[in-house]
Amino acid sequence: MSTQVDEENGEGEVESVAEGYATVKLKTGVRVKLRLAACIVIGGPLIEGVHVRLGVNLLGIRILVVL
């Protein structure tokens, strides 16, 4: 089962990157912990403080786009 994250609610800021995981705080206030080995990062390095858009493709692979 794959879910789509709408663009408005799927944007947020990277709070931390450590031990193979990234914690992203979305605009809705929800914190999401992502395993980086299961993500595709597009648009630049994933470091603390950058704004990202979180999406999920049809295969269920999480995609982080650095804004």
Side-chain angles (χ1 to χ4, degrees):
M1 182 169 114
S2 100
T3 28
Q4 294 292 330
V5 179
D6 65 26
E7 290 181 14
E8 186 176 312
N9 293 328
E11 289 186 11
E13 181 177 337
V14 177
E15 288 190 330
S16 67
V17 179
E19 300 178 6
Y21 289 89
T23 303
V24 178
K25 183 176 181 186
L26 300 177
K27 285 183 177 180
T28 58
V30 175
R31 284 184 176 82
V32 180
K33 187 173 184 179
L34 302 166
R35 191 169 61 111
L36 293 176
C39 294
I40 296 174
V41 180
I42 300 173
L46 192 63
I47 56 175
E48 293 177 17
V50 297
H51 290 278
V52 294
R53 178 176 293 144
L54 172 63
V56 179
N57 71 4
L58 295 175
L59 298 174
I61 299 171
R62 290 169 220 64
I63 299 175
L64 288 169
V65 179
V66 177
L67 302 176

